[in-house]
Amino acid sequence: MTQNSASKLLNGDTVHRTKQDKKAGGNGFVKNHCLFQQKRYRRPAEKNHHASCTSLYKKPFVESFEETPLLVAVLTYMGYGILTIFGYLRDFLRDWKFEKCHLAREREEQKDFVPLYQDFENFYTRNLYMRIRDNWNRPIRSVPGAKMDLVERVTPDYNWTFEHTGKVLKDVINMGSYNYLGFAENTGTCADAASECAVKYGVGVCSSRQETGNLDKHEELEKLVARFLGVESSMVFGMGFATNSMNIPALMGKGCLILSDELNHASLVLGARLSGATIRVFKHNNMQSLEKLLRDAIVHGQPRIHRPWKKILILVEGIYSMEGSIVRLPEIIALKKKYKAYLYLDEAHSIGALGPRGSGVVDYFGLDPCDVDIMMGTFTKSFGAAGGYIGGKKVCSQFYCQWRITLDYYTHTHKNHTCWFESGLLPERLCQLSENTTYFRRRLHEMGFIIYGNNDSPVVPLMLYMPAKIGAFGREMLKRNIGTVVVGFPATPIIESRARFCVSAAHTREMFISFHMFLNAICVIGDLALCFRRSNA
Ligand SMILES: Cc1ncc(COP(=O)(O)O)c(C=O)c1O
């Protein structure tokens, strides 16, 4: 971190103070350097914010989002500028057939049609993403556990196509899978229970649940999920993405208002759009921004007619997978109660990964699950399975049953999901995950790397900033047998490219040697200036 840069610290109570005691940034975040030294969080110095005036947090809530240093920002924009100029040059060469063109193009005989493919639309994909495409979609040949086997590929045409060499990269340390509890395994109690279940029930039901696809296993799982979440009832669906995109339209429609966090997942965004409701976006985890929208919604009602909104729904996630931040749930619940709005919480990344019982952010903050109207989550992350759920009051499930799109037109699978809850492995793995997360974050911080997110989040983004570093970092890590996920624009803001690590309970004590190897490898790469380090580290 440079002297001028500062962390944006969300410490449970919003303090309008920066390092120099100037006013806070536009997003209401506090800027502060300390990440791990922060022992206690402060009381608010001013009372011009609302939900956080009383003590809503029972323990320190420390998040760090360091501002991009000015020089790095300038160099990053320059990097994108150079890539864009070269992109235009190469497009010109392709147009004049000096360079082979691999793009989807209209055929000669279609030239009188309105073009189906807009030439400029995928400029970014063909000229920037294609240069580093080898870092994504790598085929694997094992379970995505703490270690995995990667299929080796080569490209004869600069990443437009890939060929398998037939070789396998063995035992690559997997820092990219959402395998928080380490259930991505093909041996052990859960794997055995799942295979037994597959033998008994087959691998699919070949029908929607409203017809002949409803199994006793589905109902058993629904009861178990409801118990685990501490809610009256739950419903399970075959796919997490569809759980959001198909169920939000069941709740919301014309004349309703959705207030959505700017960093919400695509499935939530799609669900909100499909619902036909009016959507307003608030700044990420920013309570002032949310409260302003809520207040305006109540005061002004619907545009033009000024009638009250039929319903107002706040859409948030538990852990944001690109930032590693945790939703400020106590404040959101306080706001939702104050303005009588509903709350939809997507726990895809937090279920199983947070809280003393592992039941997500509600558990983490020690809140009452009844304060969240719709709890949504998936089995694809912590539980190493497939599908999603919706939990809440009984009437909520009955309502979904009546709406029925996901039930009537969706063919369900059924894997034996119950085994993860019943295996008794959860407490032990939760503990391991929390230990690993703390250790992993602390080591990276001590080594001087700039990391984002909440201290308790197993998602750990490490900032790379510049576009050229995205590909180089991924490749260098793989050379050292470490599989990582690198992310850039448009998944992140343009100057905030990053590597994103996911800590798992499967990275056990016995694997700390590998961890050290991994940290060491990052250090070496760091010395090559692939990652940005604090100047005072
Ligand atoms: C926040 C969030 N919600 C929903 C989903 C969709 O879940 P699935 O991958 O199980 O379809 C994801 C997937 O990554 C997610 O991150």
Side-chain angles (χ1 to χ4, degrees):
M1 183 165 62
T2 59
Q3 287 302 317
N4 292 336
S5 67
S7 304
K8 292 167 187 169
L9 182 80
L10 297 164
N11 58 1
D13 289 325
T14 313
V15 187
H16 291 252
R17 193 172 63 78
T18 63
K19 196 169 142 250
Q20 291 90 7
D21 270 341
K22 288 182 184 150
K23 70 179 170 51
N27 55 13
F29 289 147
V30 181
K31 298 178 178 178
N32 196 306
H33 280 276
C34 55
L35 178 67
F36 287 96
Q37 296 95 317
Q38 178 78 9
K39 289 284 190 307
R40 21 189 318 262
Y41 62 102
R42 292 169 242 258
R43 304 266 102 237
E46 299 155 23
K47 293 197 173 172
N48 59 349
H49 55 91
H50 308 271
S52 54
C53 287
T54 52
S55 181
L56 295 169
Y57 292 83
K58 295 193 176 99
K59 59 179 189 166
F61 184 74
V62 185
E63 295 202 339
S64 167
F65 297 96
E66 202 158 313
E67 272 176 5
T68 308
L70 185 64
L71 180 65
V72 176
V74 171
L75 290 174
T76 307
Y77 280 121
M78 278 170 63
Y80 276 106
I82 292 167
L83 284 171
T84 307
I85 292 169
F86 272 93
Y88 278 115
L89 185 67
R90 294 186 67 186
D91 273 0
F92 175 79
L93 294 177
R94 285 180 195 123
D95 279 348
W96 288 90
K97 307 216 175 2
F98 289 115
E99 187 179 319
K100 193 170 173 203
C101 183
H102 299 267
L103 307 173
R105 282 252 164 110
E106 313 298 330
R107 277 174 292 154
E108 235 347 83
E109 59 268 29
Q110 283 180 316
K111 69 178 185 320
D112 295 334
F113 284 54
V114 176
L116 187 57
Y117 313 110
Q118 294 290 330
D119 238 11
F120 188 74
E121 243 169 31
N122 53 7
F123 178 89
Y124 181 86
T125 310
R126 70 179 175 264
N127 290 313
L128 281 81
Y129 169 70
M130 272 301 162
R131 303 169 78 102
I132 51 174
R133 187 176 162 222
D134 54 311
N135 285 285
W136 292 279
N137 308 332
R138 289 182 189 279
I140 66 169
R141 233 185 63 169
S142 64
V143 279
K147 286 188 175 178
M148 62 184 170
D149 297 342
L150 285 187
V151 175
E152 193 185 69
R153 310 180 290 185
V154 287
T155 173
D157 49 11
Y158 303 101
N159 293 342
W160 286 95
T161 58
F162 291 100
E163 285 163 14
H164 296 166
T165 61
K167 280 199 207 144
V168 174
L169 306 175
K170 287 255 173 214
D171 291 334
V172 174
I173 297 172
N174 181 3
M175 293 308 302
S177 291
Y178 303 134
N179 180 26
Y180 303 123
L181 291 180
F183 280 124
E185 48 194 5
N186 52 9
T187 53
T189 340
C190 293
D192 293 346
S195 78
E196 255 171 50
C197 187
V199 169
K200 186 169 172 202
Y201 290 90
V203 287
V205 287
C206 308
S207 169
S208 65
R209 284 185 68 189
Q210 292 291 12
E211 290 163 343
T212 59
N214 194 33
L215 299 178
D216 55 348
K217 274 275 166 220
H218 289 135
E219 289 178 12
E220 194 187 323
L221 177 63
E222 284 172 346
K223 284 191 192 122
L224 217 87
V225 170
R227 209 165 352 117
F228 185 65
L229 297 174
V231 294
E232 279 178 17
S233 74
S234 85
M235 288 182 78
V236 295
F237 303 90
M239 185 188 182
F241 195 100
T243 308
N244 278 336
S245 57
M246 294 287 98
N247 284 316
I248 294 172
L251 286 171
M252 306 300 281
K254 217 164 171 279
C256 299
L257 175 67
I258 292 177
L259 301 179
S260 175
D261 188 292
E262 65 181 339
L263 295 185
N264 273 345
H265 188 256
S267 54
L268 291 167
V269 174
L270 181 64
R273 286 184 184 161
L274 290 177
S275 73
T278 302
I279 304 165
R280 289 187 186 149
V281 176
F282 60 94
K283 285 187 193 150
H284 174 55
N285 239 351
N286 186 312
M287 295 308 114
Q288 286 102 313
S289 174
L290 174 61
E291 180 159 21
K292 183 172 181 316
L293 290 183
L294 278 166
R295 208 180 312 120
D296 286 354
I298 303 292
V299 172
H300 301 297
Q302 297 182 44
R304 285 194 300 275
I305 53 174
H306 297 292
R307 289 220 188 101
W309 292 100
K310 287 183 191 160
K311 276 178 249 179
I312 300 177
L313 180 72
I314 303 169
L315 277 189
V316 289
E317 291 181 30
I319 293 182
Y320 289 82
S321 62
M322 222 39 97
E323 308 294 310
S325 58
I326 295 177
V327 65
R328 297 165 71 97
L329 196 61
E331 285 158 275
I332 291 194
I333 288 179
L335 283 179
K336 135 198 154 73
K337 284 184 177 165
K338 182 172 169 189
Y339 292 96
K340 301 203 168 27
Y342 291 103
L343 177 58
Y344 185 108
L345 174 65
D346 179 338
E347 297 236 56
H349 290 270
S350 47
I351 192 73
L354 277 186
R357 290 176 54 245
S359 53
V361 268
V362 176
D363 190 21
Y364 174 76
F365 287 113
L367 300 168
D368 182 355
C370 300
D371 284 338
V372 179
D373 302 285
I374 297 115
M375 306 252 249
M376 180 272 166
T378 66
F379 302 110
T380 39
K381 276 86 183 165
S382 293
F383 301 110
Y389 65 79
I390 291 270
K393 296 208 170 70
K394 217 174 206 128
V395 283
C396 183
S397 314
Q398 284 160 358
F399 180 78
Y400 282 123
C401 274
Q402 285 156 19
W403 207 71
R404 288 156 59 129
I405 282 225
T406 31
L407 289 184
D408 269 355
Y409 302 111
Y410 203 94
T411 305
H412 276 250
T413 52
H414 66 75
K415 285 190 180 179
N416 188 5
H417 291 57
T418 52
C419 60
W420 290 284
F421 300 103
E422 288 165 342
S423 65
L425 293 171
L426 272 178
E428 186 193 309
R429 296 204 176 188
L430 266 167
C431 198
Q432 187 69 51
L433 175 64
S434 154
E435 241 173 64
N436 288 356
T437 301
T438 310
Y439 171 80
F440 186 79
R441 278 187 167 268
R442 178 168 291 136
R443 281 294 292 130
L444 283 181
H445 184 76
E446 283 166 3
M447 290 157 89
F449 295 110
I450 298 175
I451 52 173
Y452 269 14
N454 193 294
N455 279 1
D456 293 326
S457 159
V459 178
V460 187
L462 180 144
M463 302 315 287
L464 302 174
Y465 298 112
M466 294 168 203
K469 291 184 177 182
I470 304 174
F473 183 85
R475 289 178 203 126
E476 287 297 324
M477 293 297 274
L478 195 57
K479 274 191 209 156
R480 290 158 176 84
N481 236 27
I482 297 161
T484 55
V485 171
V486 280
V487 202
F489 180 80
T492 67
I494 201 153
I495 52 169
E496 291 181 11
S497 301
R498 61 197 69 176
R500 193 208 32 200
F501 307 120
C502 293
V503 178
S504 164
H507 299 132
T508 55
R509 280 274 167 201
E510 293 74 45
M511 292 182 71
F512 275 167
I513 297 164
S514 312
F515 251 176
H516 284 130
M517 205 173 80
F518 152 75
L519 291 168
N520 198 30
I522 290 188
C523 261
V524 174
I525 294 170
D527 289 338
L528 290 173
L530 266 183
C531 309
F532 197 76
R533 276 182 191 252
R534 290 179 176 77
S535 52
N536 56 357

